[in-house]
Amino acid sequence: MTTLSDLDLSELVALGVGWREGSTIDGGRVGITNDVAERFRAIAVNHLEALANRTPKAFSPEADLEPREEYFVADVAELGEDEPITNLLDGLELRDPISLRDLPNRSLLFYAFVFPQQATFLRKLNPYQTAQTARGSRVWTSLGDTLTEIRDPLFAFDSKVDLVITAEEILISNATAFELLFKEENYFMLHIDNWVQAISGYLPLSSGSCQLLIEGCRTNTRLRRRLESIHRRGHLRDVPISAIHTHAEEQGLDPSRFIQNVELDLQNASIEDVLKLLNEDLFIGPFSGTQFAIDRKSQR
């Protein structure tokens, strides 16, 4: 696990920006002065100090995050070698700075303070204010002896950090930013097949059920989240199919709809109900007897 106090932010800091270019991410390094670099360094240092007073917890796609009290920790290896954002920022400090004409005339996706061999502090925010994105009918000026119109693009940065990426981990203060940047459709398309295959290694699935599960999760966000959670937790590894049968009955489900010949058979089943059952998202209120389904939960 990353030890925050071991990160050395005293050396070079580079500013990276990124934007969407078709189905991938493009971007580069923006040159900065020493004064601006020190402002960015202070933001990064302050963020590490804030994290030191919060509780780390393992990332879960279904858990809520209390940003003032905790942060998520995810394994950076989960992103894969072809992840476009980390590839863009790797070795950023060695690249020539981009010029004004290299920037798109539209919103940027993120900016990042890169401390080589230490950490990257990433913010999912558009800092780039062009004539099209910011001005509209307004006239932007600066005041010296007289008002002078500002024609060059403006960059504006706040003091927040959404993610810290180290060599081993991602420290997540904003789970929405993490999912929007790193867990889009391409991420899930690459992983769904592997998750289903891994789960089928210990949970008996009938012929054709694996493909039904893959196809369902490719088109439904809620199914994907539950499938990922089942894979991450691995809590079904030693659970016999008889226990799943019993639990289904306890939750008011008809197990004959999805358990056939001592296997899970999704041919005539509600995949969403089955994944809710397997992910322990169903329960009955002990006082009211009311059936509930949970969309978000955190482990105590």
Side-chain angles (χ1 to χ4, degrees):
M1 183 173 179
T2 301
T3 303
L4 300 180
S5 59
D6 288 344
L7 294 176
D8 182 4
L9 306 185
S10 64
E11 301 297 330
L12 171 71
V13 54
L15 172 65
V17 297
W19 59 85
R20 296 194 185 281
E21 193 67 50
S23 60
T24 187
I25 304 294
D26 199 1
R29 179 172 75 87
V30 176
I32 55 177
T33 66
N34 290 335
D35 288 345
V36 172
E38 289 309 310
R39 295 290 295 273
F40 293 162
R41 193 188 317 280
I43 292 172
V45 169
N46 289 340
H47 185 68
L48 289 186
E49 291 175 349
L51 290 183
N53 294 315
R54 299 172 188 168
T55 303
K57 59 188 294 188
F59 172 75
S60 168
E62 58 184 354
D64 283 324
L65 183 69
E66 192 64 49
R68 294 185 179 181
E69 300 177 2
E70 54 194 13
Y71 61 92
F72 282 140
V73 180
D75 188 343
V76 75
E78 293 184 20
L79 300 180
E81 295 180 356
D82 297 326
E83 208 297 309
I85 294 178
T86 52
N87 284 343
L88 172 67
L89 297 176
D90 184 32
L92 181 81
E93 72 283 359
L94 302 177
R95 302 179 192 175
D96 293 334
I98 57 179
S99 65
L100 179 59
R101 64 177 177 273
D102 295 322
L103 290 168
N105 195 24
R106 60 181 183 276
S107 296
L108 300 181
L109 182 62
F110 67 87
Y111 64 86
F113 311 144
V114 179
F115 295 83
Q117 286 76 55
Q118 295 297 319
T120 294
F121 294 73
L122 194 147
R123 178 81 164 114
K124 190 192 179 309
L125 185 73
N126 172 38
Y128 180 45
Q129 306 299 312
T130 68
Q132 288 187 359
T133 61
R135 297 184 187 189
S137 60
R138 292 175 292 177
V139 178
W140 291 67
T141 64
S142 63
L143 178 61
D145 293 332
T146 59
L147 284 179
T148 303
E149 183 176 4
I150 301 173
R151 297 183 179 275
D152 293 331
L154 301 173
F155 281 79
F157 304 90
D158 63 19
S159 60
K160 297 181 180 179
V161 174
D162 294 323
L163 313 168
V164 180
I165 305 173
T166 71
E168 299 176 346
E169 296 175 325
I170 307 174
L171 314 181
I172 304 166
S173 298
N174 185 330
T176 300
F178 174 61
E179 294 190 350
L180 288 174
L181 288 173
F182 293 104
K183 304 188 71 174
E184 296 182 304
E185 292 298 315
N186 289 341
Y187 171 89
F188 286 110
M189 294 307 103
L190 288 171
H191 287 81
I192 286 174
D193 291 31
N194 292 334
W195 292 339
V196 171
Q197 182 177 1
I199 292 170
S200 68
Y202 53 81
L203 191 65
L205 291 169
S206 67
S207 176
S209 288
C210 285
Q211 191 58 37
L212 286 173
L213 188 54
I214 290 170
E215 291 173 357
C217 290
R218 283 179 173 173
T219 58
N220 187 299
T221 302
R222 292 191 304 274
L223 298 186
R224 288 198 294 262
R225 181 179 293 123
R226 287 191 165 93
L227 177 70
E228 181 182 3
S229 177
I230 291 168
H231 170 68
R232 282 177 175 273
R233 294 170 62 203
H235 60 289
L236 299 175
R237 291 185 181 278
D238 299 316
V239 176
I241 197 74
S242 59
I244 295 175
H245 188 287
T246 300
H247 184 54
E249 291 181 324
E250 292 172 348
Q251 296 302 320
L253 299 179
D254 180 2
S256 66
R257 297 292 300 273
F258 54 88
I259 297 179
Q260 298 289 332
N261 301 318
V262 200
E263 293 180 320
L264 284 183
D265 189 332
L266 304 179
Q267 189 67 43
N268 299 308
S270 163
I271 295 177
E272 183 165 13
D273 283 347
V274 173
L275 289 182
K276 285 179 181 178
L277 180 76
L278 298 178
N279 198 39
E280 302 177 305
D281 291 335
L282 301 176
F283 77 99
I284 296 176
F287 306 120
S288 66
T290 303
Q291 294 179 329
F292 294 97
I294 307 170
D295 286 323
R296 293 281 185 176
K297 64 177 183 286
S298 296
Q299 186 172 336
R300 291 192 299 177

